[in-house]
Amino acid sequence: MDFDWSEPTEARYQEIVAFARTALNDDVVSRDREGRFSRDFWDACGRFGVQSMAVPARYAPDFEEVDFLTAIRAMEGLGYGCEDTGLTFALSAHMWTVTLPIVRFGSEEQKQRFLPRLADGSWIGAHAVTETEAGSDAFAMKTTAERRDGGYVLSGEKRLVTLAPIADLALVFATTDPSLGQWGITAFLVERETPGLETSPVREKMGLRTVPLGEVQLRDCFVPDSNRLGKEGAGAAIAHHSLVIERCSILASQLGAMQRQLDKTIEYAKTRRQFGRPIGKFQSVANRIVDMRLRLESARLLLYKAAWLVTQGKPATLESALLKLHVSESFVSSSLDAIRTFGGNGYLTEWGIERDLRDAVGGILYAGTSDIQRSVVARLLGL
Ligand SMILES: Cc1cc2nc3c(=O)[nH]c(=O)nc-3n(C[C@H](O)[C@H](O)[C@H](O)COP(=O)(O)OP(=O)(O)OC[C@H]3O[C@@H](n4cnc5c(N)ncnc54)[C@H](O)[C@@H]3O)c2cc1C
């Protein structure tokens, strides 16, 4: 076993940390307060080559192609350098739940049409699965896709969709035959200007406030055959594939955020003095920080293993569920520990510590709640 990263991977990590620190951190507190997405920062990421990391070089010739492990390590660096977890979450959702499915399952024509614009950030993608009656039970979806000459007519409504209010392209899942259950689900690439597609205003939410989230309405929305992703009935397989990748890759930037949070907490515990000593010298404070480090370290090992399995083409359903469960729950626990360590300052918005907790809670819900991850693992253990 070799736990060292290659030189190019480590160089990419250092570059992206430096980029994120200098280019993406202005106004985070006020953007969070106002729930404001920064298109400028999104575009800066596009120019730097963040979004293109999900795309092979032949569809993004202006950018350097990187392997999946390098992309994961780079996303970790992005999360470390960028204090706006909403932005890093938005980038991950765009890259791994919209761009990557097109890379894996798109026709050559679809790849040429969509990937260059998704890679340079000029287009924003949204992944639309969830519905009112189909949350954890995603494949109970009611959105229908009826066959018509040369395409399908989509009808239904998706909710809680990251980036929906500003997306140029929505990857929408709908059923062509409800009696077939998950085998009737098909994926469609629906462009913003398609008649019958509408999106809601931005929904206000607890955390990840800098990324807009909302509904996608489809009213007799005609989508040509050329915009069907994969075969009819392949939607569940496509969604499952992106879930495994998403569980690895979305959480990479969270891991970086946890490292940043730990560094800040250690620094504070060394400098804040009470009873004549740095608070880090009190065992109960130190133990909390040790627990933060333990969570981070174990989460990191799970991430790298799951990402490695993906690169080897090996099954990673169990590992990615364990990873999703552990990283997301760890981020919540460590965010609380950071607030406890910062005391009253941790509760003040201006210190940027409480924001992590609000952002972290999103992680235990999206891409399958913690209960669902546990049930995936239990099933794979034969229970
Ligand atoms: C920040 C954020 C971003 C999101 N982005 C997207 C997106 O881009 N695209 C998209 O399609 N969706 C998105 N979602 C939706 C997300 O995938 C769903 O919220 C999630 O799948 C849970 O569905 P639900 O909210 O309907 O909760 P429910 O399924 O109603 O669950 C409610 C509770 O019941 C529990 N529960 C349900 N079923 C079981 C079971 N079988 N066993 C044990 N417990 C169970 C759940 O764990 C939870 O505690 C996002 C959500 C959030 C919070």
Side-chain angles (χ1 to χ4, degrees), residues 89 127-130 135-137 159-162 208 213 362 365-369 371-372:
F89 170 66
H127 179 92
V129 178
T130 306
S136 298
D137 191 8
R159 66 188 290 260
L160 292 165
V161 177
T162 302
L208 300 171
L213 171 148
L365 303 172
Y366 61 66
T369 65
D371 296 329
I372 294 301

Side-chain angles (χ1 to χ4, degrees), residues 229-258:
L229 183 68
K231 293 194 175 127
E232 198 174 290
I238 293 174
H240 176 74
H241 175 270
S242 33
L243 260 185
V244 169
I245 306 274
E246 186 186 0
R247 285 171 186 159
C248 299
S249 39
I250 282 200
L251 296 162
S253 55
Q254 271 203 10
L255 214 77
M258 284 171 70

Side-chain angles (χ1 to χ4, degrees), residues 38-172:
S38 169
R39 183 70 201 221
D40 287 348
F41 290 171
W42 178 274
D43 291 344
C45 290
R47 287 191 296 276
F48 179 82
V50 174
Q51 291 92 321
S52 65
M53 286 194 292
V55 178
R58 71 174 186 284
Y59 305 105
D62 296 339
F63 300 98
E64 193 187 331
E65 182 167 337
V66 297
D67 59 83
F68 187 61
L69 279 176
T70 302
I72 291 295
R73 178 75 174 144
M75 291 311 282
E76 189 185 338
L78 188 76
Y80 183 52
C82 174
E83 293 179 10
D84 180 354
T85 304
L87 177 65
T88 57
F89 170 66
L91 288 160
S92 297
H94 162 96
M95 290 162 65
W96 310 115
T97 71
V98 182
T99 307
L100 196 67
I102 300 175
V103 171
R104 290 287 164 94
F105 301 101
S107 65
E108 188 53 35
E109 185 275 326
Q110 287 169 342
K111 291 180 189 179
Q112 291 191 12
R113 188 152 46 112
F114 297 120
L115 291 180
R117 291 181 279 190
L118 294 168
D120 68 10
S122 52
W123 269 29
I124 294 179
H127 179 92
V129 178
T130 306
E131 299 177 4
T132 308
E133 300 300 327
S136 298
D137 191 8
F139 297 140
M141 63 180 65
K142 296 209 162 40
T143 297
T144 52
E146 245 179 68
R147 256 258 166 245
R148 286 278 164 84
D149 276 354
Y152 299 80
V153 175
L154 269 55
S155 308
E157 180 168 292
K158 301 290 179 180
R159 66 188 290 260
L160 292 165
V161 177
T162 302
L163 290 167
I166 55 168
D168 302 283
L169 182 69
L171 173 55
V172 174

Side-chain angles (χ1 to χ4, degrees), residues 157-193:
E157 180 168 292
K158 301 290 179 180
R159 66 188 290 260
L160 292 165
V161 177
T162 302
L163 290 167
I166 55 168
D168 302 283
L169 182 69
L171 173 55
V172 174
F173 292 80
T175 175
T176 45
D177 184 349
S179 71
L180 293 178
Q182 64 169 311
W183 310 115
I185 291 167
T186 303
F188 298 93
L189 294 161
V190 190
E191 294 165 56
R192 159 70 63 185
E193 302 308 329

Side-chain angles (χ1 to χ4, degrees), residues 219-290:
R219 294 194 186 95
D220 293 330
C221 177
F222 180 78
V223 179
D225 284 332
S226 56
N227 280 36
R228 191 187 66 216
L229 183 68
K231 293 194 175 127
E232 198 174 290
I238 293 174
H240 176 74
H241 175 270
S242 33
L243 260 185
V244 169
I245 306 274
E246 186 186 0
R247 285 171 186 159
C248 299
S249 39
I250 282 200
L251 296 162
S253 55
Q254 271 203 10
L255 214 77
M258 284 171 70
Q259 177 73 62
R260 175 166 38 77
Q261 181 186 58
L262 177 65
D263 290 357
K264 274 190 191 173
T265 308
I266 292 173
E267 186 56 32
Y268 191 81
K270 283 177 166 172
T271 49
R272 169 73 177 165
R273 297 176 75 86
Q274 288 292 278
F275 301 96
R277 306 162 72 186
I279 58 168
K281 292 292 175 198
F282 299 117
Q283 198 173 31
S284 9
V285 174
N287 281 351
R288 253 197 317 263
I289 297 176
V290 171

